[in-house]
Amino acid sequence: MINGPDGNPAFVVIPYADYVATHPREDLVPNEVAGYMVKEGLTAVGAWRKHLGLTQAEVASRIGISQAAYAQQEAASKPRKATRAKIAAAFGINADLLDL
């Protein structure tokens, strides 16, 4: 256990295997996604798209918009909730995973 600045318990450290065993895989963000965000400056949407090996045109087609319109959504630091939900469905992931 790790205490916070106020001296009260704030964090607990557990083995990674235990963490993974207690969290559904669909709730975990792959290391590659985080890497694309940090190393390449991609948004969460862009990082997930790249991780999944999709083009902007493919995602745009899946959600029924133009590639240019999708590119604007991907570049946004935080797309609208409804937009995130559509993109997440196109990716086959939980929308919360785009809210990084």
Side-chain angles (χ1 to χ4, degrees), residues 34-58:
Y36 292 138
M37 293 176 72
V38 173
K39 294 177 186 173
E40 298 183 22
L42 295 176
T43 62
V45 172
W48 271 101
R49 179 186 57 77
K50 186 168 182 173
H51 173 69
L52 296 170
L54 300 169
T55 66
Q56 288 185 343
E58 289 170 324

Side-chain angles (χ1 to χ4, degrees), residues 14-99:
I14 62 172
Y16 182 71
D18 292 348
Y19 174 79
V20 171
T22 61
H23 288 80
R25 291 213 39 94
E26 61 270 5
D27 287 346
L28 300 177
V29 176
N31 183 54
E32 293 83 6
V33 172
Y36 292 138
M37 293 176 72
V38 173
K39 294 177 186 173
E40 298 183 22
L42 295 176
T43 62
V45 172
W48 271 101
R49 179 186 57 77
K50 186 168 182 173
H51 173 69
L52 296 170
L54 300 169
T55 66
Q56 288 185 343
E58 289 170 324
V59 179
S61 176
R62 289 181 183 189
I63 59 177
I65 61 175
S66 70
Q67 181 275 327
Y70 172 77
Q72 289 179 336
Q73 298 302 322
E74 184 174 298
S77 60
K78 187 170 181 178
R80 290 183 8 238
K81 185 176 181 178
T83 302
R84 286 194 317 271
K86 289 178 184 178
I87 293 170
F91 289 165
I93 63 171
N94 186 314
D96 292 340
L97 295 174
L98 295 176
D99 197 16

